[in-house]
Each structure stands twice: as C-alpha cells, then as structure tokens.
Amino acid sequence: MAKNPGQYDESNIQTLDPLEHIRKRTGMYIGRKGDGAQYEDGIYILLKEVLDNAIDEFTMGFGKRVVIKLNYKTGRVAIRDYGRGIPLGKVIDCVSQINTGGKYDDDVFQFSVGMNGVGTKAVNALSESFIVRSQREGKFVEATFARGKLVDTREGESKERNGTYIEFLPDIEIFPKFCFREEHVQRRMKMYAYLNAGLTLDLNGESYCSEAGLLDLINAEAAMEQLYEPICFRSKKLEIAFTHSNHMGEDYYSFVNGQYTNDGGTHLTAFKEGFLKGVQEFAKKRYEGDVARDGIIAAVAIRLKEPVFESQTKNKLGNPEIRAELVAEIKKIVEDELHRHPEDAQRLVNKIEETAKVRAELKGIQKLVRERSKQSTVRVEELV
C-alpha cells in the first residue's frame, strides 16, 4: 500500500552509515557529478583528492616524485607517491572510516588542504573498485574495496620504496557515461607543478615539473602579452606573481595549501587590496582599484595551518582573521618589489596612467552623450 505523500512519521527516518551517505548525497562531498566534460566535474575531484595526499607528503619533505597512470578508455586511475606511506595498522581505516586521518596533527601535516578526514573515503565510496597499498620499512599492507565495502586484504614483506599506491575506477552508477578529458587532467598536472616547485609529476610517462613556481605559471599564461617582466615573491607561507597585459579585465589564479581555489576567497581579496595599496604607496598617487588592476594577470598562493573552506570541494577560502595581516604583508611586498625593479615598475605605472586617461575620456564621452540625449528629449517634448 502506497504511503500518503504528506505522511511523516518514524518510518520516514533513516540512518545511513557514512559511506552510504556519500553515495546518496554525492554533491555534498565532491560538488557536481558531471560526465567529465567540465574541469570541475566529480571525476576530477576524485583524482584531486588522491593527488592532494601525495602533494601533502611532498610539502612535508617526503618524496619528490608522484607517478600517475590514467587509462582514458576505461577511466581507471593509479597514483603512487614516495612519501612516508600510511601507517600499516591504519591503512583500512584511513580510506574507509570518516574523520580518520593524520592531518589533525599539525606536527605531522602542517599545511594540509585535507583537514576533515573525508577525501580518500569519498573516492573509495564512489569507486566501483578501489585498491590501497602502503609500503613502510620493508613491509606492506594492501586492501581492496568495492563501492566502499572491504573485499580483501593482504600484507607481507616488500622491497619497494616507502610510499602509498592508490588505484580506483569511478563507479558508473554514480558517474554514468563519464570520461576523463586529457586537456583537463593535463591542466591539473601543470597547476600542481607550478604550486610545488621541485616536485615531478609523471602522467603516463610525461613529466610535469616547475622550478620557478608561480612565475612559470604567469609566464605561461601571459605568454607574449606581458607589458613587463612578471614580478614575483616567494616565502614558506606566501607566494605571489603578477604582470599586466593590454587586455581588459583581471585574471587571477589563487591557491591554498596547493588547492586551486577557483572562487577565490579571503586570500584573493587581500591580494587585490594589498596590490592596490602597494602601487599607490610606490607611485605616491591615488588610483581606483579597477584602474590599477585592469589587465593584471596574477597568482597568489598561501599555506595555512587551519584553512576554512566554504565547501568540501574547497573552491573558496573563508578565513576572515587573516585578511588584515595579509593585506599589509602584500602591500609591503609589492612596494619593495617595485623599488627593486624600477624599469618594470615604470611600465606598470605607465599602464595604469594610460588606463586612467582612457577611463576619464570614456566617462567624458558618456556624459556628453547623456546630456545630448536629454536635450533631444526636451526638444521632442516641446514639439509635442
């Protein structure tokens, strides 16, 4: 007998285990599902979650190489890092028990993007098959799962180097007709390389590596359009790089702990404000923000011990307490770097002055058009 649509009693209340919840409410954990056509579709988030763990190992000083094998026909992914490896007694828990992981300990992972113990578990739950193997000090533990459920385990001696191997195949029940697009995967590899100078990512035999970090990113994105040599600064916790082109608008790349925050957040707004204040202090002139930044191509990356993101997909940073200090730091960096590069600084100022002049002329024309439009309206009304 069918239920009354308006009925609400004890029979409507359900209790799901964490992995069932991930499968039923997938969007809460990976954002949009999609089929792989878009850069932010779910299958790329699965890839990112596993890669983030490998990157965290590199950030902590363990392992300078990550090997990725991706079969574009079947969609199967295998990722091997050469970090410390998951502690053998916790291999199964770390990929299947929500809120379990080593990233709650700041001494073990100081600048991790994964802070809530969900990422790899979500990959496991949303995969048709999932294999994890940890190598530590001559021993290994391996576990195989199907849609988040443990199927088999193995352990024993090993001659392989320390590190973690994860292999997964996205579940077609969750991602029907999915397909990894090569251009999206390659772009992610480039971003990881730019953000982690000195790290090598090997994707199907092709290596991605950057020695200059965000400077390489800006040079690649600005290509032959840059008006002056990109200005950059790098410390342990902050890295920025920027130049200008003659294109209209503003183009930004923002990152937190190696995570691309495509919706920006506190660090990006702080960069915009700090950049403007630094330029004004250097030029000893007041500029409108959109005038000073028109044509800018910039990247900003920060590392935080306790980043707060607005969703599990980590697209936007929401730490308001860091803004004032970050604005002041970026202002000083921009001002100092402009003094160190006087010729490039002069080109930047010239660009801003030219933009201001064009904007003023455009406003004058718009004002004249409005005045003439009013005069025409008055004449027409008089004729009537």
Side-chain angles (χ1 to χ4, degrees), residues 74 113 123 190 208 322:
T74 66
V113 70
V123 181
K190 290 177 182 178
Y208 295 82
I322 69 171

Side-chain angles (χ1 to χ4, degrees), residues 338-356:
L338 292 179
H339 280 295
R340 288 193 184 98
H341 304 86
E343 293 184 3
D344 293 326
Q346 188 58 53
R347 293 189 183 99
L348 184 154
V349 171
N350 290 345
K351 158 65 177 174
I352 295 173
E353 295 285 356
E354 182 180 343
T355 300

Side-chain angles (χ1 to χ4, degrees), residues 16 20-30 33:
L16 304 178
E20 286 177 327
H21 190 270
I22 293 172
R23 291 180 63 83
K24 195 172 185 67
R25 293 290 182 262
T26 305
M28 290 178 60
Y29 299 89
I30 63 167
K33 293 182 184 179

Side-chain angles (χ1 to χ4, degrees), residues 229-243:
E229 286 296 316
I231 291 173
C232 64
F233 169 88
R234 184 197 299 175
S235 67
K236 184 178 180 181
K237 296 183 180 180
L238 174 66
E239 183 176 1
I240 65 172
F242 62 87
T243 187

Side-chain angles (χ1 to χ4, degrees), residues 73-307:
K73 291 183 178 180
T74 66
R76 186 174 293 276
V77 181
I79 297 174
R80 170 70 154 99
D81 69 48
Y82 294 90
R84 291 163 289 187
I86 302 170
L88 300 186
K90 292 292 184 179
V91 169
I92 294 174
D93 289 349
C94 280
V95 298
S96 62
Q97 296 296 319
I98 296 295
N99 301 327
T100 299
K103 297 177 184 179
Y104 305 110
D105 188 334
D106 287 345
D107 292 330
V108 179
F109 291 96
Q110 292 182 358
F111 302 111
S112 170
V113 70
M115 298 294 289
N116 51 17
V118 173
T120 313
K121 290 80 166 175
V123 181
N124 187 359
L126 300 174
S127 294
E128 181 180 326
S129 65
F130 181 96
I131 300 171
V132 57
R133 181 167 63 248
S134 177
Q135 316 279 161
R136 281 177 72 108
E137 311 302 333
K139 296 182 179 181
F140 81 93
V141 168
E142 179 179 290
T144 302
F145 296 80
R147 297 184 172 91
K149 304 295 184 181
L150 183 63
V151 175
D152 188 29
T153 62
R154 294 194 308 131
E155 60 181 86
E157 304 294 321
S158 173
K159 293 183 179 179
E160 290 192 35
R161 291 168 54 189
N162 286 359
T164 302
Y165 172 89
I166 287 181
E167 179 182 325
F168 67 92
L169 177 65
D171 189 354
I172 58 173
E173 291 182 6
I174 306 295
F175 308 100
K177 298 182 180 179
F178 79 89
C179 178
F180 282 101
R181 265 58 167 190
E182 193 169 357
E183 64 272 21
H184 293 331
V185 177
Q186 290 177 339
R187 180 169 176 76
R188 286 188 178 273
M189 296 303 113
K190 290 177 182 178
M191 288 298 181
Y192 274 119
Y194 292 140
L195 280 166
N196 300 278
L199 172 68
T200 297
L201 297 114
D202 186 314
L203 172 64
N204 293 344
E206 183 176 357
S207 292
Y208 295 82
C209 184
S210 169
E211 293 301 330
L214 294 187
L215 178 59
D216 285 341
L217 168 59
I218 295 302
N219 277 323
E221 294 299 325
M224 302 300 292
E225 299 175 342
Q226 60 195 39
L227 297 180
Y228 54 88
E229 286 296 316
I231 291 173
C232 64
F233 169 88
R234 184 197 299 175
S235 67
K236 184 178 180 181
K237 296 183 180 180
L238 174 66
E239 183 176 1
I240 65 172
F242 62 87
T243 187
H244 275 75
S245 73
N246 280 321
H247 286 236
M248 296 179 66
E250 304 171 30
D251 198 0
Y252 298 103
Y253 302 87
S254 66
F255 309 87
V256 178
N257 293 4
Q259 165 70 32
Y260 175 43
T261 47
N262 57 301
D263 290 331
T266 311
H267 57 318
L268 182 54
T269 56
F271 172 82
K272 292 179 180 180
E273 186 178 343
F275 172 81
L276 175 61
K277 289 184 175 181
V279 169
Q280 289 181 152
E281 187 65 29
F282 171 80
K284 304 301 179 185
K285 296 185 73 172
R286 303 291 296 177
Y287 298 115
E288 294 293 329
D290 57 345
V291 171
R293 295 188 298 262
D294 188 51
I296 196 172
I297 304 171
V300 54
I302 64 171
R303 296 195 180 278
L304 297 174
K305 283 191 175 183
E306 296 184 6

